[in-house]
Amino acid sequence: MTGSGRDTVPGLPDALPIAVVDNHTHLDIERDGVPVDVADLLARAAAVGVDRVVQIGCDLPAARQTVVMVDTYAGMLGGVALHPNEVPRLSESGGLDAAYAEIESLARHPRIRVVGETGLDYFRTGPEGQGLQHESFRWHIDLAKRLDKALQIHDRDAHADVLRILEEEGAPNATVLHCFSGDVTMAQECAERGYYLSFAGTVTFKNAKGLRDALSVTPLDRLLVETDAPYLTPHPHRGAVNAPHLVPLTVRAMAATLGVAVPTLCEALSANSERVYGPW
């Protein structure tokens, strides 16, 4: 599973000095025909200082699989939700209420520590589906608060509405903007509200200066790191299949942007993850 092409997973980078968490990954998803060997991927990640992951299942089959996976792997916690792009499809088929009921049941599992990813996506869902996404986002926010779970938010081209709905509903105690994509102003507002900003491999892309500017104003105690594997592979492997063992590339890029030592950032990322999700 190693290599540098688009149809393989890149090899191991230099290990981090202090272990961190991949805060958001999808080890249920096969990309570009590359088989997913979860045990092997977790072992590779641990070898480079990524010894814990948060596996996210954001449709019903993935949510069910996530519950099985967190019971199997000690280094894995999980999250379940209905992705915003799933909601209009489920509504059209008449299955949305049953899906909500199953997600709530799965979310009660003690090793499911996250309700997510939920939120808004105006890129793949047009105006006709946005009302349903808003209702679903509010439902998931309420679920996270009722179950005292962290909330992980998907926000694509919907920054203002995401922040507005969080303000209207009242955010859960631990609220994470997964794969943060906002600007400096949004990063500052999120930090002021006490939200956590999770940065993915996109922060390493050469054309992502605005994202690095947002990172640069984010306090260390609000930062998380993720892969969103098998997507958003960090430079210099952009376009290849992503995996948790590539987190060190993103961490080192983040440390350079922030002007802090890599061990200092690793300590903060690990402590923040434990604060959000609890012990593994």
Side-chain angles (χ1 to χ4, degrees), residues 56-221:
I56 300 296
C58 52
D59 59 27
L60 286 178
R64 296 167 189 145
Q65 187 174 351
T66 294
V67 169
V68 173
M69 291 165 72
V70 298
D71 276 336
T72 304
Y73 303 105
M76 179 185 290
L77 295 177
V80 298
L82 300 177
H83 191 283
N85 289 327
E86 282 292 299
V87 173
R89 291 193 285 268
L90 285 165
S91 178
E92 185 176 354
S93 69
L96 185 55
D97 288 343
Y100 281 148
E102 184 169 356
I103 289 295
E104 178 162 350
S105 177
L106 294 171
R108 294 180 181 277
H109 188 289
R111 292 185 62 76
I112 298 297
R113 307 282 176 81
V114 176
V115 172
E117 61 191 277
T118 179
L120 304 177
D121 189 317
Y122 294 171
F123 180 77
R124 295 193 183 280
T125 296
E128 70 284 351
Q130 290 176 9
L132 284 167
Q133 287 194 353
H134 291 187
E135 293 173 10
S136 179
F137 188 23
R138 294 178 193 274
W139 182 87
H140 283 89
I141 292 169
D142 177 69
L143 179 65
K145 291 193 292 187
R146 285 191 286 113
L147 300 184
D148 194 25
K149 308 275 183 173
L151 183 75
Q152 282 202 15
I153 296 169
H154 172 100
D155 166 22
R156 190 164 188 186
D157 298 344
H159 302 329
D161 282 347
V162 163
L163 293 178
R164 175 180 59 81
I165 289 172
L166 282 170
E167 182 73 10
E168 290 172 356
E169 295 297 315
N173 290 330
T175 295
V176 178
L177 275 295
H178 132 72
C179 190
F180 184 77
S181 59
D183 60 11
V184 167
T185 300
M186 184 176 179
Q188 290 170 327
E189 181 170 356
C190 288
E192 289 169 2
R193 293 187 184 189
Y195 305 161
Y196 292 84
L197 278 57
S198 180
F199 287 86
T202 44
V203 78
T204 73
F205 296 173
K206 292 179 180 179
N207 62 349
K209 181 182 182 302
L211 193 54
R212 286 187 288 276
D213 289 344
L215 168 62
S216 71
V217 301
T218 305
L220 282 180
D221 66 355

